[in-house]
Amino acid sequence: MAMETGDDATSARLALEVEQLPGVAEPVVVPVGAAPGGARGEGHRERVQAALASLQEAAKKVNRAVAGRAVEAQPDAAVPLIQEIGSALQQLDRAVVIKLPTAD
């Protein structure tokens, strides 16, 4: 699971919640800060590529069955965590909405 947070307490809380769930790996936390590469934007493609790799890795580890077992085992911890995952994915989806260049 890739998640960008600016709050160390939130990152720590999420990590503890994930540790309590069976079959769920540790989250990949991407710190908020200055973008690598300076003002010209070098390094941004690498950040996007790293985010994609994190999402692909998370998709291998978490699926409907894992989420269902987590909710069955510990609903009080799993439900908010699953909601947080959905919220983070929606935030990422909104963040990457851009008009793509067309091939003319």
Side-chain angles (χ1 to χ4, degrees):
M1 156 180 27
M3 186 169 303
E4 185 168 318
T5 82
D7 181 354
D8 289 337
T10 301
S11 298
R13 178 182 60 80
L14 290 173
L16 287 174
E17 288 179 5
V18 169
E19 287 174 11
Q20 295 173 0
L21 298 174
V24 178
E26 291 183 29
V28 176
V29 178
V30 180
V32 174
R40 295 200 57 210
E42 296 88 6
H44 293 292
R45 185 196 56 78
E46 289 84 0
R47 287 184 73 178
V48 172
Q49 188 172 1
L52 175 60
S54 295
L55 288 169
Q56 290 171 332
E57 188 65 26
K60 294 176 187 175
K61 296 175 183 174
V62 179
N63 58 37
R64 187 175 298 202
V66 169
R69 288 191 301 269
V71 169
E72 287 176 15
Q74 295 182 327
D76 292 342
V79 169
L81 184 57
I82 291 168
Q83 289 171 334
E84 184 88 20
I85 290 169
S87 176
L89 288 171
Q90 288 176 355
Q91 181 181 2
L92 180 61
D93 188 47
R94 288 189 303 270
V96 298
V97 173
I98 60 169
K99 184 175 182 180
L100 298 175
T102 59
D104 293 327

